[in-house]
Amino acid sequence: MASKLGLAGGMPERRVRPIWDAIDSRQFKNALKLTTTLLSKHPHSPYALALKALILERMGKPDEALSVCLNAKELLYKNESLLMDDLTLSTLQIVFQRLDHLELATSCYEHACGKFPNNLELMMGLFNCYVREYSFVKQQQVPIKMYKLVGEERFLLWAVCSIQLQVLCGNGGEKLLLLAEGLLKKHVASHGLHEPEALIVYFSILEQQAKYGDALDILGGKLGSLLMIEVDKLRIQGKLLARAGDYAAAANVYQKILELCGDDWEAFLHYLGCLFEDESSWASETINTPINPPKYVECKLTHLTDEVFDSCVENASAFVQKLQAEASNDSLRNPYLSHLEIERRKCLFRKNNDDNLVEALLQHYSRFGHLACFTSDVEAFLQVLPPEKKMEFLDKLMKNSNSLSVVPTRALGQSITLLKTQELIGNMFNLPVAELEGSAVQMAELYCKNLPLSKDLDPQESMHGEELLSIVCNVLVQYKILLLHLYSYFGALPLAYERYKSLDVKNILMETASHHILPQMLASPLWADLSNLLKDYLKFMDDHFRESADLTFLAYRHRNYFKVIEFVQFKERLQHSNQYLVARVEAPILQLKQSADNIEQEESILESLKCGADFIELSNEIGSKSLTFNEDFQSRPWWTPTTEKNYLLGPFEGISYCPKENLTKEREENVRGFIERKSLLPRMIYLSIQSASVLYKDNSEINGSLADPKISTELKALLERYAKMMGFSLNDAIDVVVGVSRGLKPYEVFGSDVIDWLNFAVFFNAWSLNSHDSGQQGGERTPGSWHVVNSLLENYILGKLRSIGPLIQSPQGDLPILVKLVTEPLAWHGLVIQACVRTFLPSGKKKKKSGSTDQSISLLSNAVRDAIQGLCSVLEEVAKWSQDQIKIPEDNKIDLLVSSLKRNGGAGKVFNILETLASSPNETQLGDRISQALRSWSPVDVGRKIVTGQCRVLSEFWRICESRIKSLKTLKQQIAQV
């Protein structure tokens, strides 16, 4: 920032530089002191005020910073000569942006540009504001004015890029592309082009309009010389020729690329696409789209005759053989993978080429089987083989295992590849239990046998053979790489969270990796950890959205127009992230849970949330939003392939190998429904409190307050929406909850949505307090609706409590649902009770009550009194159960856990092998580091950590229950005065 210094607002640099130096070194108190001195001499300097605002914002004083900024803005508007000072405006922009008031910075620049329409610096600042606001139309208009003013090519490209953003990311029609093309044509005619990036942008505009011939003419003309790297030019040429339908010429171009870059897998796929005249490779691409090529592409071959297909295969095979012969580097895999791709397409075309593909795979193993990437390389090719041919390939691989390399590390790599291939094909999961356990034991022994190979490795290097332990994990469901999920399975969430934190997840990994822990934490009582997790995640996302605008403008400044579009599209992808939307809803709901014992605090939180109004908007919009799923599920263990599935907690679905379900559509529907329902909660909680805070029946007043009919109307409308989301009309939903509460229907009718149903019952009761037509909705008056909710909560919670076993014997079990019951519907019901009791208590306004009012108060107070007593009894039962679990002697729980593991077949055998190795490590063979690590491992310590983790979860749950009980007892004392 100090580099921007000059005569800002008439002040010499020597007076300002020390302030910037203090800011840059984070000495904010000193910077504020210097700024105060500066303001004493220049009290009407907008720049000095902007500096003070910047410092105050950095010191965590946003309100003061905003006030000072507004003063500076007012001074700028009064003294037009100061508006030309871009340094003052840019400093204000920084502060306004950090305070989430970018619109104020934009208004400053708009005002300045209105006063000085030909000032290029001010126009650039205004363009920067529009970039940050993602106002694509205004982005286009400003650089057009700049281009007309000075005729610079970069400003024209800024405008063209803004037009592309309107088409790709906004609501702009494709006719805008004609405008962009016309602008570029006119500029080329008068000035030519001087930047390679400008030419690529020109190509992308033409390609989006399918004007491939025009683009090829430009590429072959004088402008094509702007592309200095031959291979880059050839890639564009090949793509344009293919999309223009000239497959023969495109194939020749891709041959040239492969001769220059033999390991270009994408180029080979395009080459085959051209030979087979298959447009699949380019159907969804444009030149300016970031390319993330898959391992293989879907291909269309049905349009080919046998003769044409055979001719294409012959030509491709001859070319691949030539590439293999010319390969000077034995590590190049592409020429050999290309042979496998040809055999794969022969399988897809004729369905009788399986033997040739199996033979090609065996040859590939003999050459590259020692590499860790072998199984990922061949996965796409194995998918086209029928199950019996996969097994044939595996059998032949196993027979070849006797002829492993004499180089120890190479032989170990080949052995691991055999096991990984067995796992990939799914054979491991079809073996009898005895063989499966034997295989796991062999892998553990192989790992231990090869530990000496890692003796001299750097501590940061991966140990030779450590993949063996991952395979053992997948077979027997244990070991450290899956520790986070295993700790979660055992209900030791503090250990799982600790493990997650040890991963040091930062930046975009917070979006792709937090699925490992977030769902479990959302259902846990570890509110402090969950709050930190949500805060860190949301802070990263919000910071990224803010910084993305900075990066976008930086890309404009550096003439990297592909990055402009990439940054904007990536920002939009994150904004539509299902995980981000869930976190946005869950974070405020967590706040409401944490304060549910104190209605005043709850109302303060609801006020900060605009009484839930913004979340109603989200619920309204979510139906039309396309959600993105950015989680990296590849890193999850096979037994929990998605956040919704855990085969350890339910029946395995018979998938023959590591399940990799494509459930995006189903997940999108589920997540959209979850967000839509959850987004209603803050508003429904607010309305329920309001409904219970102002009670009347038969138009009578209580405590001198009249009920607002709008509250009842809106709450009813939200109840109707809530019921509809569960597949029922309002009347039918009321009939269901009433029927279940009376024992006429089982709780199973709620299905998996039991929390939603109980929430509905709570809010229905709150609505009944002030609704004249609640009696016709299911036939219930107020005392009856109280009984419905009390009965539902008490019977369901106590039923769960009686069925749940000791936590050490039934990992997870029903504990998460028990936590949700206490912290959601029961908590919301408690808030309604608090609001009612507060209304009963004497207020400053005394009014004469009629007999009917006294009767209403009496009926309602009795219902509330019964509710308090019932909930208190239920929570005391839950708290007692939690304490009983905690009080079980630790040694007993450890013995039970460790002994159950040792008895567990293959897992027990592997456990015993590791225990034996740890008890007497051979220090000479293994070295100090490995020996010390083995000696430090103890099964009892592992058991103790799990038990301790479970106890902490139970302790936190007990603390929540005790807090609820204390609150209810206070209410009991208060209502006794009524």
Side-chain angles (χ1 to χ4, degrees):
M1 299 298 297
S3 62
K4 291 185 176 181
L5 298 176
L7 287 172
M11 288 178 291
E13 180 179 346
R14 61 186 175 80
R15 293 192 178 277
V16 180
R17 178 173 292 280
I19 297 175
W20 277 113
D21 289 342
I23 293 173
D24 291 342
S25 59
R26 302 185 63 82
Q27 296 176 14
F28 299 128
K29 286 186 178 180
N30 186 37
L32 184 61
K33 183 179 178 181
L34 292 170
T35 306
T36 303
T37 303
L38 185 65
L39 277 167
S40 67
K41 297 179 180 178
H42 304 276
H44 302 295
S45 166
Y47 182 56
L49 286 170
L51 284 175
K52 182 178 181 180
L54 177 64
I55 296 164
L56 288 169
E57 191 281 327
R58 296 287 176 88
M59 294 175 74
K61 299 178 179 179
D63 293 338
E64 292 181 46
L66 180 59
S67 177
V68 174
C69 270
L70 292 174
N71 289 339
K73 179 173 177 279
E74 186 178 348
L75 286 172
L76 278 175
Y77 279 40
K78 287 180 179 177
N79 190 342
E80 291 184 0
S81 64
L82 296 177
L83 284 171
M84 292 185 65
D85 180 21
D86 181 60
L87 185 54
T88 300
L89 290 171
S90 62
T91 305
L92 282 174
Q93 183 194 48
I94 292 171
V95 185
F96 278 135
Q97 182 186 354
R98 292 175 68 93
L99 295 173
D100 290 324
H101 283 290
L102 184 57
E103 76 283 355
L104 295 175
T106 303
S107 67
C108 286
Y109 272 105
E110 287 174 339
H111 183 76
C113 287
K115 295 294 182 181
F116 303 98
N118 295 328
N119 187 300
L120 204 62
E121 277 193 357
L122 293 178
M123 293 169 79
M124 226 179 257
L126 181 58
F127 177 72
N128 186 8
C129 288
Y130 290 147
V131 168
R132 294 174 190 281
E133 291 180 348
Y134 298 97
S135 301
F136 303 137
V137 175
K138 292 180 178 178
Q139 271 181 229
Q140 171 198 337
Q141 295 167 350
V142 175
I144 286 289
K145 292 178 183 177
M146 297 164 75
Y147 175 67
K148 288 179 179 178
L149 190 65
V150 295
E152 283 190 35
E153 182 175 289
R154 59 171 173 154
F155 297 138
L156 175 67
L157 292 171
W158 288 11
V160 169
C161 195
S162 299
I163 290 173
Q164 280 190 297
L165 286 172
Q166 291 176 60
V167 176
L168 294 172
C169 306
N171 300 317
E174 294 190 2
K175 288 184 179 180
L176 285 172
L177 295 172
L178 285 172
L179 171 62
E181 182 187 354
L183 290 171
L184 285 167
K185 269 186 179 178
K186 186 176 179 181
H187 181 78
V188 168
S190 58
H191 299 86
L193 288 178
H194 302 90
E195 304 171 19
E197 283 283 337
L199 182 61
I200 302 299
V201 170
Y202 199 176
F203 287 151
S204 68
I205 293 291
L206 293 171
E207 188 186 3
Q208 284 175 274
Q209 301 176 83
K211 295 181 178 180
Y212 309 117
D214 292 349
L216 284 164
D217 290 342
I218 293 170
L219 183 65
K222 182 179 177 182
L223 290 178
S225 62
L226 289 172
L227 301 175
M228 306 296 290
I229 301 174
E230 182 66 17
V231 171
D232 290 345
K233 189 174 180 179
L234 288 172
R235 287 194 181 103
I236 294 172
Q237 184 183 10
K239 180 76 66 67
L240 292 171
L241 285 168
R243 300 202 69 170
D246 192 348
Y247 291 111
N252 290 332
V253 171
Y254 282 112
Q255 275 193 341
K256 292 179 184 176
I257 294 172
L258 288 164
E259 287 167 355
L260 293 170
C261 304
D263 218 26
D264 191 333
W265 176 240
E266 180 196 351
F268 181 75
L269 292 177
H270 288 324
Y271 167 69
L272 282 186
C274 293
L275 284 183
F276 295 123
E277 299 188 358
D278 173 19
E279 61 183 12
S280 301
S281 297
W282 305 279
S284 59
E285 290 183 15
T286 60
I287 291 176
N288 66 320
T289 301
I291 299 170
N292 298 299
K295 294 174 185 175
Y296 71 97
V297 293
E298 297 294 337
C299 49
K300 299 175 183 176
L301 303 171
T302 53
H303 63 288
L304 301 174
T305 64
D306 287 358
E307 292 79 11
V308 172
F309 180 82
D310 289 339
S311 174
C312 292
V313 166
E314 185 178 348
N315 291 336
S317 298
F319 180 61
V320 167
Q321 288 173 7
K322 178 186 173 189
L323 289 177
Q324 290 176 352
E326 293 175 353
S328 58
N329 188 344
D330 289 340
S331 66
L332 289 181
R333 307 193 319 278
N334 188 55
Y336 302 94
L337 288 172
S338 300
H339 175 57
L340 290 176
E341 180 62 23
I342 292 171
E343 298 299 333
R344 184 181 83 91
R345 300 208 183 197
K346 285 162 70 175
C347 285
L348 292 173
F349 185 77
R350 287 207 176 87
K351 308 296 183 186
N352 61 356
N353 192 58
D354 297 340
D355 291 337
N356 289 339
L357 180 54
V358 168
E359 185 58 36
L361 287 166
L362 290 169
Q363 291 175 8
H364 197 73
Y365 173 78
S366 66
R367 182 178 290 271
F368 299 111
H370 63 289
L371 298 179
C373 61
F374 176 84
T375 48
S376 60
D377 280 351
V378 303
E379 181 179 355
F381 309 112
L382 285 171
Q383 287 181 4
V384 303
L385 291 175
E388 64 273 11
K389 287 298 178 181
K390 291 179 184 177
M391 295 307 303
E392 180 184 326
F393 167 65
L394 186 58
D395 289 341
K396 289 182 178 180
L397 271 189
M398 300 302 289
K399 289 176 183 176
N400 291 341
S401 63
N402 296 324
S403 56
L404 296 176
S405 173
V406 294
V407 180
T409 54
R410 193 180 180 98
L412 178 60
Q414 289 174 324
S415 298
I416 293 172
T417 292
L418 289 172
L419 294 166
K420 287 170 69 177
T421 305
Q422 191 176 5
E423 179 188 19
L424 177 66
I425 290 175
N427 183 55
M428 284 187 179
F429 303 103
N430 290 329
L431 291 174
V433 173
E435 290 185 38
L436 188 65
E437 293 173 352
S439 176
V441 170
Q442 289 176 8
M443 285 186 274
E445 290 175 339
L446 182 62
Y447 172 75
C448 295
K449 176 184 174 183
N450 284 280
L451 276 175
L453 295 176
S454 305
K455 177 181 177 180
D456 298 322
L457 288 179
D458 186 275
Q460 294 183 346
E461 291 185 80
S462 297
M463 295 179 68
H464 293 298
E466 67 178 21
E467 291 170 285
L468 285 165
L469 292 175
S470 180
I471 303 172
V472 171
C473 290
N474 287 343
V475 174
L476 298 175
V477 199
Q478 57 188 155
Y479 192 55
K480 71 175 186 178
I481 199 169
L482 310 174
L483 210 51
L484 187 157
H485 289 278
L486 286 173
Y487 281 147
S488 297
Y489 168 71
F490 280 111
L493 272 180
L495 296 181
Y497 184 58
E498 183 182 314
R499 188 71 184 175
Y500 173 78
K501 288 194 296 183
S502 72
L503 297 174
D504 198 23
V505 172
K506 293 178 180 177
N507 300 324
I508 196 59
L509 285 177
M510 298 192 80
E511 167 67 4
T512 61
S514 59
H515 64 89
H516 287 296
I517 193 67
L518 184 57
Q520 303 95 294
M521 295 294 286
L522 287 172
S524 82
L526 305 178
W527 286 348
D529 292 335
L530 174 58
S531 178
N532 290 333
L533 185 65
L534 288 169
K535 281 179 183 176
D536 290 346
Y537 172 76
L538 290 172
K539 183 179 184 303
F540 158 71
M541 295 293 274
D542 292 340
D543 287 349
H544 175 82
F545 296 145
R546 197 176 287 118
E547 291 164 6
S548 177
D550 294 335
L551 293 172
T552 304
F553 184 67
L554 199 62
Y556 272 114
R557 294 291 293 262
H558 287 270
R559 299 169 169 82
N560 195 336
Y561 305 110
F562 292 145
K563 284 295 180 184
V564 168
I565 293 172
E566 182 182 328
F567 288 147
V568 173
Q569 289 181 327
F570 187 66
K571 186 270 305 182
E572 291 203 339
R573 181 175 184 85
L574 289 186
Q575 280 185 322
H576 287 79
S577 159
N578 79 96
Q579 201 167 230
Y580 173 60
L581 293 173
V582 168
R584 272 184 58 194
V585 174
E586 289 286 5
I589 289 177
L590 174 61
Q591 288 182 284
L592 294 172
K593 289 179 184 179
Q594 290 172 311
S595 300
D597 294 335
N598 188 316
I599 193 168
E600 284 77 19
Q601 289 182 13
E602 195 82 348
E603 288 175 325
S604 176
I605 292 169
L606 285 167
E607 186 179 351
S608 71
L609 299 174
K610 299 180 182 177
C611 305
D614 289 347
F615 293 98
I616 292 292
E617 289 182 19
L618 176 60
S619 183
N620 294 338
E621 296 169 359
I622 192 66
S624 60
K625 279 183 181 284
S626 59
L627 302 182
T628 59
F629 294 84
N630 307 315
E631 300 96 327
D632 176 18
F633 284 158
Q634 297 261 338
S635 57
R636 294 181 72 89
W638 69 265
W639 39 272
T640 172
T642 68
T643 53
E644 296 85 6
K645 288 184 177 289
N646 191 322
Y647 297 127
L648 301 183
L649 300 176
F652 183 58
E653 296 179 353
I655 299 173
S656 61
Y657 67 99
C658 302
K660 294 180 180 176
E661 302 99 326
N662 182 12
L663 300 174
T664 302
K665 185 173 287 187
E666 180 184 343
R667 287 194 70 217
E668 186 165 0
E669 290 177 4
N670 292 339
V671 173
R672 184 178 283 112
F674 173 84
I675 295 170
E676 192 174 2
R677 288 193 303 276
K678 210 73 164 168
S679 298
L680 298 181
L681 285 184
R683 185 64 179 173
M684 294 181 83
I685 292 168
Y686 168 76
L687 293 173
S688 295
I689 292 173
Q690 293 301 305
S691 181
S693 295
V694 187
L695 306 172
Y696 81 97
K697 290 290 177 183
D698 304 321
N699 292 323
S700 301
E701 299 179 41
I702 293 181
N703 276 349
S705 300
L706 284 174
D708 184 352
K710 292 180 181 178
I711 292 173
S712 178
T713 302
E714 184 180 355
L715 188 51
K716 180 183 177 182
L718 292 180
L719 281 168
E720 288 173 338
R721 280 185 64 180
Y722 208 81
K724 186 177 179 181
M725 291 173 194
M726 298 187 292
F728 290 81
S729 68
L730 178 57
N731 284 345
D732 290 343
I734 293 170
D735 286 341
V736 169
V737 296
V738 171
V740 174
S741 72
R742 291 175 175 172
L744 302 176
K745 296 178 182 179
Y747 277 95
E748 284 71 22
V749 298
F750 292 159
S752 60
D753 300 326
V754 62
I755 300 296
D756 293 324
W757 276 103
L758 295 176
N759 283 339
F760 171 83
V762 168
F763 300 135
F764 164 65
N765 176 55
W767 171 62
S768 299
L769 297 174
N770 273 307
S771 172
H772 282 292
D773 59 351
S774 63
Q776 286 73 47
Q777 308 286 345
E780 291 299 317
R781 298 301 295 181
T782 298
S785 63
W786 281 97
H787 175 73
V788 168
V789 181
N790 299 339
S791 175
L792 286 172
L793 287 172
E794 290 171 25
N795 292 337
Y796 192 78
I797 292 174
L798 292 177
K800 281 293 176 189
L801 205 59
R802 293 186 190 103
S803 65
I804 195 170
L807 196 60
I808 198 69
Q809 291 180 326
S810 56
Q812 281 200 356
D814 287 330
L815 182 59
I817 189 73
L818 201 58
V819 171
K820 280 197 169 187
L821 288 165
V822 170
T823 59
E824 292 194 28
L826 190 147
W828 314 146
H829 192 40
L831 285 168
V832 174
I833 292 172
Q834 290 179 65
C836 287
V837 172
R838 183 175 62 181
T839 306
F840 294 148
L841 297 177
S843 69
K845 297 178 181 178
K846 300 281 186 180
K847 291 206 175 183
K848 186 177 179 181
K849 301 180 178 66
S850 66
S852 61
T853 302
D854 287 336
Q855 186 179 3
S856 294
I857 293 175
S858 177
L859 285 171
L860 191 55
S861 63
N862 287 335
V864 173
R865 200 174 280 113
D866 291 343
I868 294 172
Q869 183 59 46
L871 293 189
C872 208
S873 299
V874 168
L875 285 170
E876 284 172 347
E877 288 283 333
V878 176
K880 181 179 180 301
W881 173 84
S882 301
Q883 276 295 87
D884 290 344
Q885 295 292 309
I886 295 169
K887 288 178 180 178
I888 297 174
E890 185 180 81
D891 291 342
N892 291 5
K893 289 188 274 192
I894 294 170
D895 289 344
L896 187 62
L897 178 63
V898 174
S899 61
S900 65
L901 284 174
K902 287 186 175 181
R903 290 195 306 269
N904 187 11
K909 292 178 182 178
V910 171
F911 195 90
N912 290 331
I913 288 172
L914 295 176
E915 190 174 17
T916 302
L917 179 66
S919 63
S920 55
N922 189 323
E923 195 166 332
T924 304
Q925 285 187 332
L926 303 177
D928 290 340
R929 181 170 62 89
I930 297 173
S931 298
Q932 289 176 10
L934 286 170
R935 275 195 292 267
S936 67
W937 182 78
S938 163
V940 174
D941 288 344
V942 172
R944 181 171 287 107
K945 287 176 73 174
I946 292 174
V947 167
T948 303
Q950 291 176 339
C951 284
R952 191 191 150 198
V953 172
L954 288 167
S955 296
E956 289 295 317
F957 186 39
W958 175 84
R959 184 189 60 77
I960 292 169
C961 292
E962 284 295 307
S963 178
R964 297 277 188 270
I965 293 167
K966 183 179 178 181
S967 173
L968 287 169
K969 286 183 176 178
T970 301
L971 293 173
K972 188 187 296 186
Q973 292 173 354
Q974 291 174 344
I975 203 170
Q977 303 170 19
V978 177

